[in-house]
Amino acid sequence: MTTSTARSSRGRRRSGPSHAVHRDRKGRRSLLGAVAALAVLGAAGFAAVDTGSSGAGAPHAGDKGGPTERARSGRAGATGPARGSRSPSPGPATASVSPGPTVSTTPEIPATGPGTFVTAAGGSTRVGSGTLLRYRVDVEKDIGLSAADVARQVERILADPRGWTADGHSAFQRVSSGPADFAVRVATPGTVDRICGEYGLDTGGEVSCDVGEQVMVNLRRWLLATPVYAHRVKDYRALIINHEVGHFLGHGHVGCPGPGRPAPVMMQQIKGMHGCLPNVWPYDGKGRYLTGPSA
């Protein structure tokens, strides 16, 4: 779906005005005029010194067009391309996968964290009539999120009748111990970069990924969404989960099916809507799968 470092901008010291000189009729410099010119020069040079700033913070991923990606090996998905058979699309250009600075308008979002996780306690009932897939919900430590709250939101998303259970092949149940088929993990941009990078993906501090039975959710996207969903952040969380779980199930990216139609959940909406309308569910209220041309 819906990764860049902000360059610091430093002002250059301006050169002051050329020394104004006054010559008397005999061509000699006026000492008084030279002293005044030096004072003007010193004031101008001092005023032009810039202590530097970090800019406006990292841009939204939608501005750069970074993809959410999947990378896995060994297993074919239920539908769509075989898992691990598709080369990941390139992320936005970055020098490395190290995290950029925190967003200046939301300094409470850490750029990176300890890389250790707490698993939400308890579990859920089974939803869906298909093959049961057990999952955990993990939240990186010390990032200000409640694992229990995140787990409740993920449960609601995966249980929605417009979600992946509508395919008739998938059922979900959250667990906190024992075997799990995959984990939904909310983590800082730096931790997402590191884990996704281990599978060859560049998330650049901005986007999420699905790798190694891990649905890695970027904390920045979880809290801020994207410009299209800026006032519908909880809806956007459904899009993140459904998109990445869709990759886990074997679905690849698709494009917009046409102007004015709902954007498929497997469309990289973070890169632009291309005339489609915002939509965060794989199926509509009548059980019809929402898709588009293969991307």
Side-chain angles (χ1 to χ4, degrees), residues 7-257:
R7 298 183 180 274
S8 63
S9 57
R10 295 189 179 272
R12 294 182 178 178
R13 184 186 296 272
R14 293 182 297 176
S15 58
S18 57
H19 288 257
V21 293
H22 300 279
R23 298 181 181 274
D24 55 23
R25 292 181 178 179
K26 295 182 180 181
R28 295 181 179 178
R29 298 175 185 268
S30 167
L31 177 60
L32 180 60
V35 170
L38 287 173
V40 171
L41 172 62
F46 178 81
V49 174
D50 187 349
T51 57
S53 65
S54 59
H60 288 289
D63 298 331
K64 288 290 186 180
T68 40
E69 284 305 337
R70 57 184 290 272
R72 64 180 74 253
S73 60
R75 256 172 48 191
T79 58
R83 286 157 61 163
S85 65
R86 184 172 58 83
S87 299
S89 302
T94 55
S96 68
V97 296
S98 59
T102 53
V103 178
S104 61
T105 56
T106 52
E108 72 277 8
I109 301 177
T112 193
T116 54
F117 293 81
V118 58
T119 298
S124 70
T125 58
R126 173 182 176 140
V127 293
S129 58
T131 301
L132 180 62
L133 296 169
R134 295 180 175 87
Y135 68 94
R136 292 192 327 270
V137 171
D138 299 338
V139 172
E140 190 171 9
K141 293 179 179 178
D142 304 325
I143 64 172
L145 287 187
S146 161
D149 180 61
V150 173
R152 282 191 293 270
Q153 293 184 64
V154 174
E155 286 179 25
R156 176 185 58 80
I157 292 164
L158 293 181
D160 193 283
R162 296 164 294 177
W164 289 114
T165 59
D167 66 7
H169 304 294
S170 305
F172 301 99
Q173 182 179 20
R174 185 176 69 83
V175 298
S176 56
S177 61
D181 296 283
F182 67 98
V184 175
R185 318 187 89 186
V186 181
T188 55
T191 298
V192 171
D193 284 351
R194 177 179 60 79
I195 292 175
C196 297
E198 291 172 357
Y199 293 81
L201 299 183
D202 180 4
T203 46
E206 290 293 336
V207 296
S208 305
C209 77
D210 165 48
V211 293
E213 282 64 55
Q214 299 175 92
V215 169
M216 297 300 304
V217 177
N218 186 302
L219 176 64
R220 183 172 288 136
R221 297 281 71 79
W222 184 261
L223 295 178
L224 299 182
T226 62
V228 171
Y229 291 94
H231 301 292
R232 299 170 53 190
V233 175
K234 287 190 176 180
D235 286 347
Y236 187 77
R237 292 171 186 174
L239 180 58
I240 296 174
I241 299 302
N242 286 323
H243 184 98
E244 301 303 344
V245 171
H247 280 319
F248 176 81
L249 296 175
H251 296 274
H253 288 142
V254 299
C256 176

